[in-house]
Amino acid sequence: MCIINYIWSWLFSKKSELLVVCNTLNDMDHHKTETRINFLQCLDTDVCIYIMSFLDDPADVVRASAVSCFWHHFVIANGFAKQICLKLFPQLSRIDVVVNGSTGIPSSAEAETSTAMKCENSETDHMVYASLLRAITGSKVSRKDCIEYAVSASSTDNFPDESITNTLHPRDRFIRRPSYWSSKGQSKPEVPETLVYKLRTGVWAITEIDIQPFKAFFQHGRPIYSAKSVRFRMGHPKSKREINSELQNLPLQKPVDDKFVWTYTSPEYPMIQDNVLQPFMLPEPILCIGGYLQVELMGRVQRQEIDGLFYTCICHVRVVGRPLFPAFDMAILNESSEKIMLIYYPEFFSSINLDSSVDELTHRSLLEEELLERIGLLEELLPVIQHGPLNPIVWEEEDDDADNEDGVL
């Protein structure tokens, strides 16, 4: 009771002060629609930058820059669009120079000389990085297969019948023959394999990589030679000279992994031992700078009965992404420092933001199926042409169960 009485006494003694506080709060609430506090002007710059660094949505950066002229200049001067770009896509840290392709004016740390130039560079950086964020996260362009051609495999069992080029076809048979890549046999199941592909020209935002293990329908039990897990890397050749000379002339069955600088490495994904196209979604869209992809197949799960060795066999590889060109382009500035120049053409930005009503991947699959059907029909007609009308052919029905089950990879 003594404590309660003391509290009441203290409150009564402070009655006048409390009334002043309540009246002040009441006045603030009454005028809250008329009064706005700009915390950027009230707090220290370092504190404001720290608060703004918690923005993790590109749209928030754009909204913040539209609050007022003061906020607009604050967001641009402190490069928040670039910061969130690097936070979401760390591989972009290699960008050293940003160029507005329409004006040809570069922006880089070394180019800042005067206050006017610094402001112009900041404006360019904000425009380019904000547009790049919007293109990566909000592009509505139809998804496409990004692979241009196969470069090499770390090993190949029977070349060219089991070449890496077979993985570019979406089916496990091509013109009535098995279509797949096979590694050499190994006694140890932990021996990895790698496949290297050249991606299509331009800047691509890669979102997904699909792999289909091969089912050996010509062997007893129809085993599936998948890997235990898979990992992906993207990068560029160590030397620009190798792009047009040595790389394109190397044998497909020889490894070339040491000729590349891998700037991105994905997490490791488990692979299912099933003859289906398995999608592996990347944690975030990846800008492939340099245009080369490595597929690392780790671990072997299937031993071949005839020789007791472990193999990895892949039927099809597909890289899914959306193009960012012609609005964006990139060039490697220096091979030793691996610096990148990002070029932005604002007049073409609308072309990568159009909503496509046609899924190119589905459309392409239908066209490929139709083409393969026609090829199969031509294959059936070829013997008739070769034998002539006086030598009738006895057709054999195609039966998977009647296939030769003593085949060897």
Side-chain angles (χ1 to χ4, degrees):
M1 288 295 295
C2 293
I3 295 176
I4 295 175
N5 290 333
Y6 175 79
I7 293 174
W8 278 111
S9 299
W10 183 86
L11 289 174
F12 185 79
S13 65
K14 300 294 183 180
K15 180 179 178 181
S16 58
E17 287 87 344
L18 291 174
L19 287 174
V20 172
V21 172
C22 291
N23 291 332
T24 302
L25 292 175
N26 184 57
D27 290 340
M28 290 177 62
D29 182 68
H30 182 265
H31 297 288
K32 66 180 180 180
T33 58
E34 301 176 4
T35 304
R36 295 290 183 269
I37 298 177
N38 186 350
F39 76 87
L40 295 182
Q41 294 176 315
C42 298
L43 301 176
D44 291 339
T45 301
D46 292 341
V47 176
C48 295
I49 292 176
Y50 177 73
I51 294 174
M52 298 288 284
S53 67
F54 287 95
L55 295 177
D56 55 4
D57 189 336
D60 291 338
V61 175
V62 176
R63 294 189 187 101
S65 66
V67 170
S68 66
C69 291
F70 187 88
W71 280 57
H72 179 76
H73 293 303
F74 185 84
V75 169
I76 290 177
N78 292 282
F80 289 116
K82 180 178 180 179
Q83 289 180 28
I84 196 169
C85 246
L86 299 182
K87 184 189 298 185
L88 296 177
F89 311 104
Q91 75 271 19
L92 297 181
S93 61
R94 295 175 55 220
I95 296 176
D96 184 57
V97 179
V98 172
V99 177
N100 185 336
S102 300
T103 62
I105 299 176
S107 169
S108 68
E110 289 78 8
E112 295 179 358
T113 56
S114 64
T115 303
M117 181 63 72
K118 289 181 180 181
C119 293
E120 188 171 352
N121 287 343
S122 298
E123 291 278 357
T124 301
D125 278 354
H126 178 77
M127 176 185 65
V128 174
Y129 281 105
S131 300
L132 182 60
L133 279 170
R134 184 180 173 189
I136 297 175
T137 59
S139 175
K140 300 177 182 178
V141 176
S142 174
R143 301 179 306 153
K144 297 176 174 62
D145 187 349
C146 306
I147 294 181
E148 184 175 342
Y149 60 82
V151 176
S152 75
S154 54
S155 74
T156 302
D157 192 32
N158 296 309
F159 185 83
D161 293 340
E162 297 172 343
S163 168
I164 183 178
T165 56
N166 293 333
T167 63
L168 303 180
H169 306 302
R171 300 180 64 179
D172 58 0
R173 305 186 197 195
F174 187 72
I175 314 182
R176 300 176 66 87
R177 294 183 181 180
S179 176
Y180 63 97
W181 162 82
S182 173
S183 70
K184 288 186 177 296
Q186 298 286 346
S187 58
K188 298 180 179 180
E190 62 270 14
V191 177
E193 297 284 349
T194 57
L195 306 174
V196 177
Y197 298 90
K198 173 68 173 68
L199 302 185
R200 292 162 68 176
T201 304
V203 181
W204 293 80
I206 309 298
T207 57
E208 172 186 341
I209 300 172
D210 304 335
I211 300 179
Q212 181 173 345
F214 178 67
K215 180 178 181 179
F217 52 83
F218 47 82
Q219 290 186 349
H220 177 69
R222 302 188 176 189
I224 300 174
Y225 291 88
S226 67
K228 286 185 179 179
S229 60
V230 63
R231 182 165 53 202
F232 309 105
R233 292 185 175 90
M234 299 183 200
H236 61 86
K238 292 180 178 178
S239 172
K240 291 182 180 180
R241 293 184 297 272
E242 293 178 348
I243 296 178
N244 296 320
S245 57
E246 187 178 355
L247 281 179
Q248 293 188 354
N249 296 325
L250 285 175
L252 290 171
Q253 71 274 25
K254 296 294 181 68
V256 295
D257 304 80
D258 60 341
K259 298 183 180 298
F260 294 90
V261 175
W262 302 114
T263 57
Y264 169 79
T265 302
S266 76
E268 183 176 338
Y269 301 89
M271 182 176 286
I272 303 172
Q273 192 176 8
D274 196 1
N275 181 34
V276 295
L277 191 63
Q278 302 177 28
F280 301 97
M281 303 296 298
L282 299 179
E284 65 277 328
I286 300 300
L287 288 189
C288 185
I289 303 173
Y292 287 85
L293 167 75
Q294 181 200 69
V295 178
E296 184 181 10
L297 302 159
M298 296 173 286
R300 303 163 188 243
V301 298
Q302 185 62 50
R303 189 194 300 267
Q304 184 172 244
E305 185 176 333
I306 195 169
D307 60 8
L309 298 178
F310 289 93
Y311 291 82
T312 300
C313 301
I314 299 299
C315 166
H316 184 42
V317 175
R318 183 175 70 180
V319 180
V320 180
R322 288 183 168 89
L324 300 185
F325 60 88
F328 293 93
D329 197 5
M330 291 188 181
I332 300 174
L333 289 173
N334 190 310
E335 295 176 7
S336 59
S337 62
E338 302 173 16
K339 295 298 184 180
I340 296 294
M341 177 172 63
L342 174 64
I343 309 170
Y344 174 51
Y345 299 92
E347 63 269 25
F348 297 123
F349 183 79
S350 60
S351 65
I352 64 171
N353 204 38
L354 295 175
D355 192 358
S356 177
S357 59
V358 179
D359 189 335
E360 184 174 303
L361 287 179
T362 303
H363 182 64
R364 180 176 177 180
S365 297
L366 294 174
L367 291 178
E368 287 174 343
E369 289 290 335
E370 183 180 351
L371 178 61
L372 290 173
E373 287 181 6
R374 294 183 180 183
I375 291 175
L377 187 59
L378 291 174
E379 185 188 30
E380 299 287 354
L381 294 175
L382 184 59
V384 176
I385 298 173
Q386 291 175 336
H387 287 77
L390 300 179
N391 299 295
I393 297 175
V394 178
W395 299 99
E396 297 180 359
E397 294 185 2
E398 184 177 347
D399 186 359
D400 289 347
D401 296 330
D403 285 336
N404 176 22
E405 295 190 340
D406 296 324
V408 182
L409 290 177

